[in-house]
Amino acid sequence: MSTPPLTPELEAVLDRHGRDPTRLVQILREAQELAGWLPPPLITALARALRLPRARVEGTAAFYSFLYLRPAGRYRVLFSDNVTDRMQGSEALLDQLCERLWAEKGRVTEDGLVYIDTTSCTGLCDQGPGLLVNGWAIPRASRERLDLIAGLILEQRPLAEWPAELFHIDHPIHRRDLLLAEPPTAGEALAAVLAHDADGSGLLAQVERAGLRGRGGAGFPTARKWAACRQAPGAVHYVVCNADEGEPGTFKDRVLLAEYADLVLEGMTLCAYVLGAGRSPTQGLIYLRGEYRFLLEHLQSALARRRAAGLLGRAICGRAGFDFDIELHLGAGAYVCGEESALLESLEGKRGVPRNRPPYPVTHGYLGQPTVVNNVETFCAAAVIARHGAEAYRARGTPDSPGSKLLSVAGDCARPGVYEYPFGVTVREVLADCGAQDAQAVQVGGPSGTLVGPHEFDRRIAFEDLATAGAFTVFGPQRDLFEVVRNYVHFFAHESCGFCTPCRVGTAILRGVMDKIHAGRGARHDLEQLEQVERAMRLASHCGLGQTACNPLRDLRTRFRPTLERRLASLDFAPAFDLDAALARARAFTGRDDARAHLHTDTLAS
Amino acid sequence: MAERRLRVATASLAGCFGCHMSLLDMDARLLELLPHIEFDRSPFTDIKQLSPCDLGLIEGGVCNAENVEVLLEYRRKCRILVAVGACAITGGLPAQRNHLDIGACLQEVYLTEPGTTHGLIPNDPELPLPLDKVYPIQEVVRVDYFLPGCPPPAEAFWRLLSDLVAGRTPHLPRELIRYD
Ligand SMILES: Cc1cc2nc3c(=O)[nH]c(=O)nc-3n(C[C@H](O)[C@H](O)[C@H](O)COP(=O)(O)O)c2cc1C
Ligand code: SF4
Ligand code: SF4
């Protein structure tokens, strides 16, 4: 059987990536941008060109939400389905668009024109509801804007001809502290370090003294990570920037990448200086979530500017031996790829399944080489420390959580956007600043964080109290917290990578129970079952996703128990479905309607 | 005071009786248990009326109206109810029909294919009506314990029953719940 030859455009994609199988995810993504989807012959041809088993290529493509192995319509409209999008009316808008375009959610229309569905949080919570059209983000969906979009789709206008205004994204910053204080000048921190520090050890000590802890959620001491990697032997030391920002409700990395790209890149370059001691080879990678495709060209030009200015490439700032450059990788819709070892798998062109650890990335990371993975904000903080010194940094925040933290504030408040605070700020202060009156709850740190109620609004944002990767989602009194948590439970069930049983099955059970309670069929027994499942997931899940997937339910159960209980049918147990309705089909086909052709639980159970 | 014997009822819903056979596989150890347990309604005894019991063992999933009625009655009358085997716990083999429409199944079997019903879907009220799907029993009633396996090995039945007789929380060692 012969495989059709690849088009010249596809050959160009392959050549650009050096026909390197570790670039598979990037190649698939770019091939899809050309063809709209990934037809079987294309998979076969790519497998052959990359000398990979076909199943490897197809299996990888199947892993990612934004790679399509079936025709996906000429226009793919995905509605962000975070709870904040729903609060802004996304569900009704989705129905409206379906009606307007004669489409059914989750199905390509018969003429192959359009596909409408939902997707996990796209990081536009401050200006939602968010949309992705063929991968391009559109904020502030409204009836009017969707009417416009429907018209453009019906006219089959290419995306390039759509009004640019539709794609305009704001990056609101409402409070600035250490990090966001002054617009950074490219190269300033680097020059300061290179002037005094011959091998990066001085900077490493400074980051250590500053007490910097990772901003991606776990709060691991950054200097310890850098030191371990610097000591690990390897042909190349890699600096990886985690810009996957998949936690629903978080968007501060988006704002940093858009408005402070130089600060991010400077931080990465400083890290490279520490890892390679200005002598041995280093290489940088940015893993940018697919939802932030719109930032790609912006970041590429920031990189180009820095190369031109001698801040990237060979002999940075004229220092012979200090060579470092940065490459961009785009994700393709998988929350788990934010987990650092899954991220490395994805960077290597594979399915984003978390690795076994140890060994840790600092010794065996990207391509088995010593690798530092840090969050976008962590690199920015490192650059700020290099410029202003450890003492200035320590002067802000708390003893256990020095410095400042960017919060992504959204939900029921007057001024959503990014707020930078010294660590130690209380929930109450943030609520006052963003204009949130009578909040009934705040989700701190997104679904894998903590849902706090008013009696805890004096708690502090800090690693030792309310740890957070940055999400701060406010719920006003009109919101049903049960539905909020049900949304989060669905999110985890959708995003579980399926590798390990406690999480794959556990998240599905949790979703089933939440839907059962939602349908008015819940019972006290179901709550007990939730607790059991939760224990198993925490104990036995392979990665952080499964271990934290029960957090929203735990908080609902412990802090908002009546919200959950008032949904229960007041029974010890209730069936998961309507017994009598389950007989309807057979009744219709047999024409029976006698007493035994019905099931009435009330009489049966008495 | 003489020890009261544990009253045990068993039932096979949409199952193949393989689980019941496996229980009997305890062989001689069944004799050890018999001083401590007695059987109520069960395919072993042919008792038709269910009395209040300590323990109900349910094999098979729930595929029709009669299964629902039987299961609800067992739940009402048994203090402890155990889902026995893959069919009871997940629907098992019979649940293979769950991705088909039951109406289409009836049509295919009785109307399209040649058969003995003369172009009629049987509608005798004596016949239990099939549910739209085959359900695991814990979706219909509260279940206290699960005994996995297809069928669970005799050793697992032994553990369950001897634990319950002794008043211990049933616990299966790892060897009995791994299948690779
Ligand atoms: C399911 C899951 C998703 C994650 N998503 C992100 C993410 O989007 N961005 C991020 O920086 N860290 C994320 N993390 C944390 C990373 O694994 C890792 O700890 C972090 O990137 C380390 O950088 P830091 O020390 O600078 O925080 C995630 C972890 C898990 C378990
Ligand atoms: S815990 Fe969930 S996301 Fe993590 S490896 Fe297991 S299945 Fe995958
Ligand atoms: S679990 Fe296995 S042995 Fe038991 S009834 Fe089902 S098929 Fe038969």
Side-chain angles (χ1 to χ4, degrees):
Chain A
M1 200 179 73
S2 72
T3 314
L6 292 163
T7 61
E9 290 88 350
L10 275 168
E11 293 284 357
V13 168
L14 282 164
D15 287 339
R16 197 158 57 246
H17 292 286
R19 297 182 185 254
D20 180 353
T22 70
R23 302 299 183 85
L24 180 59
V25 177
Q26 301 308 301
I27 293 170
L28 286 170
R29 202 186 51 73
E30 289 176 33
Q32 180 172 280
E33 277 197 357
L34 293 171
W37 65 294
L38 300 165
L42 175 63
I43 297 279
T44 310
L46 288 177
R48 200 158 296 180
L50 296 170
R51 296 174 191 284
L52 285 171
R54 191 182 184 286
R56 226 327 273 295
V57 178
E58 185 171 340
T60 303
F63 183 85
Y64 296 94
S65 297
F66 296 162
L67 296 178
Y68 300 94
L69 289 163
R70 279 193 222 152
R74 248 168 300 151
Y75 295 91
R76 291 181 299 284
V77 185
L78 302 181
F79 283 75
S80 177
D81 198 24
N82 186 22
V83 64
T84 52
D85 297 289
R86 290 196 184 182
M87 284 155 59
Q88 291 157 327
S90 64
E91 290 160 299
L93 291 169
L94 186 149
D95 291 342
Q96 178 207 335
L97 189 68
C98 282
E99 210 168 291
R100 188 61 216 280
L101 295 173
W102 295 86
E104 195 183 325
K105 175 175 180 275
R107 278 209 137 129
V108 184
T109 50
E110 238 151 66
D111 55 4
L113 182 65
V114 61
Y115 172 78
I116 301 172
D117 208 344
T118 52
T119 186
S120 297
C121 180
T122 58
L124 297 173
C125 324
D126 53 333
Q127 49 203 302
L131 294 181
L132 291 175
V133 179
N134 292 358
W136 293 90
I138 295 181
R140 291 182 296 275
S142 63
R143 291 198 152 264
E144 297 68 42
R145 281 160 76 82
L146 284 170
D147 271 340
L148 174 63
I149 290 171
L152 292 163
I153 291 176
L154 288 172
E155 287 169 30
Q156 307 201 25
R157 290 265 287 279
L159 236 59
E161 293 173 17
W162 289 22
E165 190 279 322
L166 272 179
F167 303 93
H168 175 79
I169 289 167
D170 291 317
H171 300 290
I173 298 175
H174 296 302
R175 192 179 191 286
R176 293 164 198 267
D177 210 276
L178 273 174
L179 208 74
L180 304 175
E182 22 180 322
T185 325
E188 206 181 312
L190 261 174
V193 167
L194 291 176
H196 310 288
D197 186 350
D199 65 351
S201 57
L203 174 58
L204 184 59
Q206 205 173 23
V207 174
E208 161 105 63
R209 270 204 316 284
L212 178 60
R213 298 174 66 173
R215 300 299 195 241
F220 190 83
T222 305
R224 212 190 303 163
K225 191 184 274 187
W226 290 14
C229 185
R230 175 179 155 107
Q231 275 157 24
V236 183
H237 285 66
Y238 288 97
V239 178
V240 175
C241 174
N242 188 342
D244 197 47
E245 191 157 65
E247 189 76 34
T250 318
F251 49 85
K252 48 101 187 165
D253 292 342
R254 178 198 91 211
V255 173
L256 283 174
L257 293 164
E259 303 282 319
Y260 288 75
D262 261 307
L263 196 62
V264 182
L265 302 176
E266 188 113 349
M268 292 180 70
T269 313
L270 290 165
C271 176
Y273 189 59
V274 169
L275 299 191
R279 288 187 299 272
S280 55
T282 51
Q283 172 65 43
L285 296 154
I286 296 178
Y287 190 93
L288 181 67
R289 70 183 310 216
E291 289 83 346
Y292 293 169
R293 166 72 185 80
F294 62 90
L295 288 172
L296 189 64
E297 283 76 14
H298 161 74
L299 290 172
Q300 271 161 350
S301 52
L303 289 173
R305 269 198 318 277
R306 288 181 75 90
R307 280 182 202 117
L311 299 173
L312 277 179
R314 296 202 153 272
I316 290 174
C317 293
R319 174 72 61 100
F322 182 18
D323 306 336
F324 177 68
D325 211 321
I326 298 174
E327 259 175 47
L328 285 159
H329 278 242
L330 261 188
Y335 166 64
V336 72
C337 286
E339 194 282 336
E340 58 182 17
S341 68
L343 182 145
L344 294 172
E345 289 288 293
S346 182
L347 280 177
E348 290 181 9
K350 294 182 265 181
R351 295 164 69 89
V353 173
R355 294 177 179 172
N356 284 333
R357 293 177 304 166
Y360 291 93
V362 283
T363 57
H364 296 77
Y366 181 61
L367 303 176
Q369 299 296 313
T371 303
V372 158
V373 183
N374 273 136
N375 176 253
V376 174
E377 187 184 345
T378 312
F379 285 120
C380 293
V384 168
I385 291 166
R387 197 168 48 162
H388 297 295
E391 287 63 35
Y393 198 77
R394 270 225 98 105
R396 311 293 281 161
T398 72
D400 285 335
S401 311
S404 64
K405 181 78 192 91
L406 269 59
L407 299 179
S408 314
V409 177
D412 293 314
C413 64
R415 290 174 296 281
V418 165
Y419 291 70
E420 188 191 5
Y421 287 99
F423 271 117
V425 67
T426 64
V427 172
R428 195 180 303 286
E429 289 169 77
V430 181
L431 287 173
D433 288 352
C434 71
Q437 283 91 30
D438 26 282
Q440 65 160 322
V442 180
Q443 181 75 43
V444 180
S448 64
T450 320
L451 182 67
V452 295
H455 66 289
E456 294 166 295
F457 285 175
D458 288 317
R459 290 183 65 182
R460 297 178 182 282
I461 306 288
F463 293 109
E464 64 273 22
D465 190 352
L466 287 171
T468 173
F472 190 100
T473 309
V474 184
F475 300 107
Q478 74 276 32
R479 306 298 172 188
D480 182 348
L481 292 179
F482 175 84
E483 289 304 325
V484 169
V485 169
R486 193 165 76 94
N487 172 279
Y488 290 155
V489 169
H490 274 254
F491 164 76
F492 284 118
H494 180 258
E495 295 295 340
S496 165
C497 83
F499 171 75
C500 71
T501 313
C503 169
R504 181 185 64 246
V505 176
T507 53
I509 293 179
L510 297 186
R511 179 179 53 192
V513 173
M514 287 302 275
D515 288 351
K516 184 182 173 191
I517 297 174
H518 167 81
R521 303 183 172 283
R524 204 160 289 273
H525 175 71
D526 293 310
L527 300 189
E528 284 163 28
Q529 200 196 352
L530 289 178
E531 284 178 52
Q532 274 178 18
V533 173
E534 182 182 327
R535 255 199 307 281
M537 289 175 68
R538 260 187 225 292
L539 205 71
S541 288
H542 177 63
C543 85
L545 190 152
Q547 287 154 13
T548 57
C550 321
N551 288 1
L553 258 174
R554 172 204 63 196
D555 294 342
L556 192 67
R557 231 189 31 243
T558 53
R559 294 178 167 90
F560 301 95
R561 201 174 175 92
T563 304
L564 195 50
E565 284 177 338
R566 68 168 170 247
R567 289 280 191 146
L568 302 181
S570 59
L571 297 168
D572 165 52
F573 184 88
F577 58 98
D578 181 341
L579 293 166
D580 191 56
L583 288 175
R585 199 79 184 130
R587 266 198 304 268
F589 274 81
T590 55
R592 281 176 54 184
D593 198 22
D594 54 282
R596 298 212 52 209
H598 286 277
L599 282 167
H600 295 295
T601 6
D602 36 341
T603 51
L604 282 167
S606 61
Chain B
M1 200 179 84
E3 182 198 0
R4 191 177 68 79
R5 291 202 288 173
L6 212 62
R7 201 161 177 86
V8 182
T10 78
S12 177
L13 308 178
C16 75
F17 284 92
C19 291
H20 276 81
M21 297 304 290
S22 186
L23 190 153
L24 295 180
D25 258 354
M26 272 193 279
D27 293 335
R29 277 184 298 179
L30 204 47
L31 299 178
E32 277 178 54
L33 275 176
L34 279 180
H36 306 288
I37 65 172
E38 60 190 339
F39 283 103
D40 191 80
R41 177 173 161 185
S42 160
F44 302 143
T45 61
D46 223 26
I47 298 175
K48 296 283 190 285
Q49 277 296 326
L50 183 64
S51 320
C53 286
D54 298 293
L55 177 64
L57 303 177
I58 306 292
E59 165 193 309
V62 185
C63 85
N64 62 32
E66 185 193 27
N67 290 163
V68 174
E69 286 160 357
V70 170
L71 182 58
L72 290 171
E73 189 186 3
Y74 270 67
R75 177 67 275 182
R76 262 196 324 273
K77 296 199 174 148
C78 300
R79 257 190 292 193
I80 298 172
L81 199 72
V82 182
V84 173
C87 295
I89 297 172
T90 68
L93 211 58
Q96 295 262 312
R97 78 153 155 97
N98 283 3
H99 63 281
L100 303 172
D101 171 57
I102 185 65
C105 282
L106 292 170
Q107 205 156 23
E108 179 75 18
V109 170
Y110 294 110
L111 303 183
T112 314
E113 290 290 308
T116 54
T117 59
H118 313 295
L120 272 180
I121 297 176
N123 59 0
D124 190 323
E126 286 301 304
L127 295 172
L129 217 49
L131 296 165
D132 58 344
K133 285 183 185 159
V134 179
Y135 294 89
I137 71 168
Q138 71 271 17
E139 288 194 13
V140 181
V141 295
R142 177 168 56 77
V143 172
D144 299 297
Y145 300 107
F146 297 85
L147 201 64
C150 177
E155 177 68 20
F157 282 99
W158 163 256
R159 292 280 185 151
L160 174 81
L161 292 170
S162 54
D163 278 347
L164 287 173
V165 163
R168 293 187 295 262
T169 306
H171 182 80
L172 291 183
R174 191 174 151 72
E175 309 83 78
L176 285 179
I177 47 174
R178 54 175 291 182
Y179 304 99
D180 52 352

